[in-house]
Amino acid sequence: MGKLTWFPLPFGLVVVVVNFFAVRDVNGHLPTAPIEANEDVAAQAIAAFIPFAQGRIALLGALFVAAALLFGLVEFGSSRRPMGFATATGFLSAAYVAAMPVVYVLNPVTGYDEEFPVPSGGYATMPFDMDALSPPWYLPVLGWILATAAIAQLLAMRGVVRREAVLPPASWSAWLLLLPSAFLLAFAAANLVSDRIARATAPPGSFWEADFELEVMLQVCAFAAVPAAGMALHGILLRRHGVRPHSLLIVGAFTVVYLLALLLVAWNNMRMYVDEQSGFYEHLPGWREGVTTGILGAAALVQLAALPLLARRGKAQVTGTEPGG
C-alpha cells in the first residue's frame, strides 16, 4: 500500500487524541458550569455528555479509517490502470478534503447540541454554552490539524500519476463531461417554464415571494455551474489532447464539487415555494416537482457513470508506457 493509504491514519489518530483531551477537560468543568437555560435538563445533559462524546469520537475516527481503506482499495485495484487510478484518486481526495470542515463541525464539544425529553412530553435544548466551555486551545488546534490533513492530501496527489501516459479517448466518452452543464440548463429551464405557466394562469397579484425564491434557485444553479463548466472545459481538452491521468484526477475532484452542488440545488428545489403565501404555488404545473427532481437525479447518476467510462481504456502501466492495443 502506498502513502495515500496511510496518510489519513496519523491525522485521524491525532484528531481522536485532541478530542479526547478536550472532552476530558470539558467534562471536569461541566458540573459547575453556568446554566444558560432549561435548568430542569441540566443533570440529563451532564450525564449524557460522555456517552455522546465517546460515540462522536468513534465516528470521527472511523471516518479517517474508512478514508484509508478506500484509498487502499483504489491503489490495490487500480495499480495497472493509471487512468482509473487518477480518476478515483481525484474523486476520493476531493471528498476527503471536503469532509474536513464536517469533522470540525461535528466535534464532540461544541457539536454537543442535543435535545432532552421533559416531563411535559416536549424537548428542551442544551442548557450549557458549549462554546464557552471549550478549552481555548481546542478549536484552533483542531482546525490546524484538519487543514494540515487537507493540504497533505493535496500535496500527495502531485506524485500519484505519471503525466507521460496518454491514451486517445473513445469517440464519444469525453463529451460526457458536457452533460453536467446540459442538465443544469434543463433544470433551470424547467423552473423558468413552470414559472411562466403559473404567471399566465394566476390572477393578477404580488408574487414577490415567488420571484425571490426563483432568483435564489437560479443563483444556486449558477454556483453549481462552476464545477460543471470546469468539467466541460476538461472534456474539450481531453478530446483534443487525449486522456491524461492528471486531467482525469482533476475531473474526479470536480465531480465531488459538482455532486455537492447538486445536493444544494436539490435542497433548495425541495423547499422552493414552501413558504410562499400568495397562492402562486397552486398555479404551478403538476409536473414541475417530478421533472426537476428527475433531472437532478439523472445528472448525478450520469456523472457517476461517466467516470469509469472515461477511464476504461486506461490500461497503461503507471510507469507511463503506452498500451499495446
Side-chain angles (χ1 to χ4, degrees):
M1 291 185 291
K3 60 184 178 181
L4 280 179
T5 302
W6 296 112
F7 255 34
L9 295 180
F11 289 107
L13 177 61
V14 175
V15 167
V16 167
V17 170
V18 167
N19 280 321
F20 171 80
F21 282 108
V23 166
R24 189 179 68 171
D25 183 278
V26 171
N27 189 56
H29 291 89
L30 201 57
T32 58
I35 298 174
E36 303 289 330
N38 301 319
E39 184 175 357
D40 53 333
V41 297
Q44 289 178 264
I46 294 173
F49 176 61
I50 288 299
F52 168 88
Q54 290 173 338
R56 186 58 59 86
I57 291 174
L59 172 64
L60 298 182
L63 290 177
F64 284 93
V65 173
L69 292 175
L70 286 173
F71 279 120
L73 181 63
V74 167
E75 288 184 317
F76 176 78
S78 305
S79 59
R80 297 180 62 84
R81 290 178 177 269
M83 305 304 172
F85 181 44
T87 307
T89 298
F91 183 90
L92 289 178
S93 294
Y96 176 75
V97 171
M100 294 301 101
V102 177
V103 173
Y104 183 85
V105 172
L106 293 181
N107 74 78
V109 176
T110 61
Y112 185 43
D113 191 17
E114 299 286 276
E115 292 186 341
F116 304 94
V118 293
S120 63
Y123 288 87
T125 56
M126 176 63 59
F128 302 106
D129 183 356
M130 299 305 294
D131 289 327
L133 285 173
S134 174
W137 55 266
Y138 174 54
L139 290 180
V141 169
L142 181 62
W144 178 83
I145 294 168
L146 297 175
T148 303
I151 294 171
Q153 185 62 32
L154 294 175
L155 292 176
M157 290 168 58
R158 297 176 59 186
V160 165
V161 295
R162 298 291 185 93
R163 299 191 177 191
E164 296 85 357
V166 181
L167 295 173
S171 59
W172 54 272
S173 60
W175 297 123
L176 292 172
L177 295 178
L178 299 180
L179 291 179
S181 298
F183 277 116
L184 287 176
L185 288 174
F187 174 82
N191 271 302
L192 287 170
V193 169
S194 65
D195 180 83
R196 294 297 178 267
I197 291 174
R199 291 180 187 280
T201 57
S206 174
F207 303 129
W208 67 268
E209 291 174 295
D211 293 340
F212 174 75
E213 290 172 353
L214 181 62
E215 181 182 353
V216 169
M217 176 58 73
L218 294 178
Q219 290 174 351
V220 174
C221 285
F223 174 77
V226 175
M231 285 189 287
L233 175 62
H234 272 77
I236 295 172
L237 293 176
L238 291 174
R239 283 292 303 141
R240 295 185 61 181
H241 303 296
V243 178
R244 297 174 181 269
H246 69 280
S247 297
L248 289 180
L249 188 147
I250 296 173
V251 169
F254 268 132
T255 296
V256 172
V257 181
Y258 173 67
L259 294 178
L260 291 175
L262 284 184
L263 284 177
L264 181 61
V265 173
W267 170 253
N268 280 273
N269 186 55
M270 181 176 65
R271 297 188 55 80
M272 196 174 181
Y273 305 119
V274 167
D275 297 324
E276 207 276 326
Q277 301 296 320
S278 68
F280 180 84
Y281 177 81
E282 298 174 1
H283 299 275
L284 290 167
W287 53 260
R288 188 202 77 88
E289 188 171 348
V291 169
T292 54
T293 302
I295 290 173
L296 294 177
L301 292 175
V302 168
Q303 183 58 29
L304 289 173
L307 294 183
L309 289 173
L310 282 167
R312 67 187 175 88
R313 297 182 64 187
K315 299 179 181 179
Q317 298 290 337
V318 177
T319 55
T321 57
E322 294 292 327

